[in-house]
Amino acid sequence: MEYQKILVAIDRSTQAEFVFHQGLQLAQLYKSQLKLFHAISVSPMILGSPGDLYGQRLNQVAQIQHELIEQEINEVAGWLSTFVSYAKQQGVEIETEYQIGEAGYWIRETAKKWDADLVVIGRRNRSELAELFLGSVSNYIVHHVKCSVLVVQHPED
């Protein structure tokens, strides 16, 4: 099978570069388009203190959350641009996308919207207990996208 559109989903873990290079090599082999995707997770903030029964600090908390998200978006854009520069040096057509929210959902939606032939994703070596409570993005993707999925295992794991 030839892959024309390869979606590489990376997080900001130590294995991101390895996963990217796996996708890049496949894009070079098949002369494919490459899309690099990252989901920005938003951690819930505590909305006020126990004495703040009427949400008097809600606007302040929302402003702080907004500023943190803007900062993260700027960092992610810069981080992704380093991968874009490298891919272009290697002669691979590449674009990037990021979304704010749950990674599994956004990877699935991006693969569907972009009509990807292959999704390349890494996996974290979480314990079974951690996976039970935190979930597994790679497992979710394997079971919920309509195209092929390559789950990359970092050799050091």
Side-chain angles (χ1 to χ4, degrees):
M1 167 157 217
E2 285 196 30
Y3 301 110
Q4 295 177 2
K5 290 184 166 187
I6 300 173
L7 176 65
V8 178
I10 58 174
D11 60 12
R12 293 182 78 179
S13 70
T14 56
Q15 67 173 310
E17 195 170 318
F18 185 76
V19 173
F20 166 75
H21 282 285
Q22 296 296 306
L24 181 65
Q25 287 176 355
L26 289 168
Q28 289 172 311
L29 178 66
Y30 293 111
K31 298 183 180 13
S32 310
Q33 294 177 44
L34 190 64
K35 179 176 271 199
L36 189 58
F37 178 83
H38 175 71
I40 299 171
S41 62
V42 179
S43 57
M45 293 184 71
I46 298 171
L47 300 177
S49 62
D52 187 21
L53 296 175
Y54 300 104
Q56 297 161 343
R57 292 183 43 218
L58 196 55
N59 285 339
Q60 182 182 7
V61 170
Q63 179 63 32
I64 292 169
Q65 182 77 33
H66 178 75
E67 290 170 6
L68 290 172
I69 290 171
E70 286 296 318
Q71 180 181 343
E72 182 71 13
I73 287 170
N74 290 334
E75 288 176 14
V76 164
W79 176 66
L80 290 175
S81 71
T82 62
F83 292 104
V84 170
S85 297
Y86 185 79
K88 287 183 176 181
Q89 289 173 0
Q90 303 302 310
V92 174
E93 183 181 331
I94 185 171
E95 60 185 275
T96 63
E97 183 174 334
Y98 59 84
Q99 293 291 339
I100 299 168
E102 200 277 314
Y105 171 82
W106 282 114
I107 294 166
R108 183 192 73 207
E109 291 301 305
T110 302
K112 184 167 77 173
K113 180 179 71 176
W114 192 55
D115 200 25
D117 301 309
L118 176 67
V119 174
V120 179
I121 190 167
R123 74 179 286 270
R124 296 181 181 169
N125 277 332
R126 289 186 173 150
S127 69
E128 287 182 27
L129 185 61
E131 220 169 84
L132 177 66
F133 288 107
L134 300 173
S136 166
V137 174
S138 57
N139 187 47
Y140 178 85
I141 296 306
V142 166
H143 289 95
H144 291 91
V145 297
K146 303 287 188 212
C147 63
S148 297
V149 178
L150 172 61
V151 180
V152 177
Q153 181 71 39
H154 196 283
E156 295 173 8
D157 290 340

